[in-house]
């Protein structure tokens, strides 16, 4: 099994859809299911034995810095962004902090419950650098709590991904967790860009892979979704940890 030493937590978004809650605090610090969204992600990273988490910040970044000041597991390294760089640009800026080996990337606006084996462990066991340059955690779109889109990807029996075409419905949505090789970002332009740019390149070379999540998954996008997530988890006391 691959051993990951670094993770990137994407926490620099403006959280516009989460207003008015984000007028006073950044979205990653909004409590859901008993603790801030950011802590859900970091707790999962720590449980997976990943020693260092790089957290990018932009909107109300000083509040995130203060919140994380006393955290020791994982070790926190901040990557402040003067200008919002989006998902891909944020990772590119943080590359010097992420080391030279494949790393985990986690969005801070999602929350998941593990199945029998923790999702991060399953990803690291499935990771094969000989055949893949990125491995995405996917969730069935029809069972994705808080998601009402048309899906992102189709996946073949080997895990290779293809995108949903215009007018189609795809069975899987990206679950916000992935393993990436740092060299993917070596020749991309500076400034803001989405990781979709990276994925599109890998789709052409058939080196973008996916793995189906076997637990529950929640997209926390609006204030109304928070109460629904809390209510949903309260009726599952044996899944009290998220």
């Amino acid at each position: 099994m691959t051993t990951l030493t670094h993770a990137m937590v994407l926490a620099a978004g403006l959280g516009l859809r989460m207003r008015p809650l984000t007028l006073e605090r950044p979205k990653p610090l909004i409590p859901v299911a008993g603790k801030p969204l950011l802590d859900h992600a970091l707790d999962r990273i720590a449980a997976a034995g990943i020693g260092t988490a790089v957290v990018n910040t932009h909107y109300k970044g000083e509040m995130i810095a203060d919140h994380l000041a006393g955290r020791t597991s994982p070790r926190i390294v901040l990557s402040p962004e003067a200008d919002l760089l989006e998902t891909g640009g944020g990772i590119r800026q943080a590359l010097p902090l992420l080391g030279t080996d494949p790393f985990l990337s986690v969005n801070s606006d999602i929350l998941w419950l593990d199945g029998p084996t923790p999702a991060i462990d399953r990803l690291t066991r499935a990771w094969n650098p000989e055949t893949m340059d990125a491995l995405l955690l996917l969730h069935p779109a029809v069972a994705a709590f808080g998601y009402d889109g048309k899906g992102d990807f189709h996946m073949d029996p080997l895990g290779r991904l293809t995108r949903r075409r215009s007018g189609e419905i795809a069975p899987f949505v990206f679950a916000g967790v992935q393993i990436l090789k740092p060299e993917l970002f070596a020749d991309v332009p500076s400034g803001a860009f989405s990781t979709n740019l990276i994925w599109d390149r890998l789709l052409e070379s058939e080196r973008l892979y996916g793995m189906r999540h076997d637990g529950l998954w929640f997209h926390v996008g609006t204030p109304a979704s928070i109460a629904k997530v809390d209510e949903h988890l309260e009726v599952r006391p044996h899944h009290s940890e998220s």
Side-chain angles (χ1 to χ4, degrees), residues 8 19 25 28 73 77 84 92-93 105-106 117 127 144 150 181 189 193 223 241:
M8 176 87 193
R19 288 183 174 178
R25 70 181 76 186
S73 180
V77 181
L84 193 60
R92 184 186 186 278
Q93 175 178 282
S105 173
V106 181
T117 302
W127 173 253
K150 296 181 179 180
K181 290 181 178 178
F193 70 93
E241 289 191 7

Side-chain angles (χ1 to χ4, degrees), residues 23-108:
L23 295 176
E24 297 182 351
R25 70 181 76 186
K27 184 177 178 180
L29 296 187
I30 292 176
V32 181
K35 58 187 171 185
L37 279 167
L38 181 57
D39 288 337
H40 284 289
L42 290 171
D43 288 350
R44 288 281 189 244
I45 290 167
I50 299 173
T52 299
V54 179
V55 180
N56 68 336
T57 61
H58 175 70
Y59 176 67
K60 296 188 181 296
E62 69 284 351
M63 293 184 68
I64 293 177
D66 290 344
H67 177 76
L68 296 176
R71 182 153 192 148
T72 58
S73 180
R75 181 177 74 94
I76 302 297
V77 181
L78 297 177
S79 180
E81 298 177 7
D83 298 308
L84 193 60
L85 296 175
E86 299 182 39
T87 52
I91 292 174
R92 184 186 186 278
Q93 175 178 282
L95 278 184
L97 307 173
L98 288 167
T100 58
D101 295 325
F103 60 90
L104 186 78
S105 173
V106 181
N107 293 359
S108 64

Side-chain angles (χ1 to χ4, degrees), residues 2 24 34 42 50 67 72 88 92 98 105 130 151 163 165-166 177 179 190 201 204 210-211 222 225 232-233 238 241:
T2 298
E24 297 182 351
L42 290 171
I50 299 173
H67 177 76
T72 58
R92 184 186 186 278
L98 288 167
S105 173
E130 299 300 320
R163 275 201 190 275
R165 295 178 181 177
S166 178
V177 185
I179 296 176
S190 60
R201 292 181 177 182
E204 292 181 3
M211 186 192 75
T222 64
S225 67
H232 191 81
L233 294 177
H238 56 291
E241 289 191 7

Side-chain angles (χ1 to χ4, degrees), residues 137-159:
L137 185 69
L138 304 178
H139 196 72
V142 295
F145 189 92
Y147 177 80
D148 58 2
K150 296 181 179 180
D152 298 320
F153 295 105
H154 300 272
M155 182 167 56
D156 75 9
L158 297 178

Side-chain angles (χ1 to χ4, degrees), residues 117-128:
T117 302
I120 296 176
D121 290 348
R122 293 182 63 231
L123 280 173
T124 57
R125 291 174 184 175
W127 173 253
N128 181 357

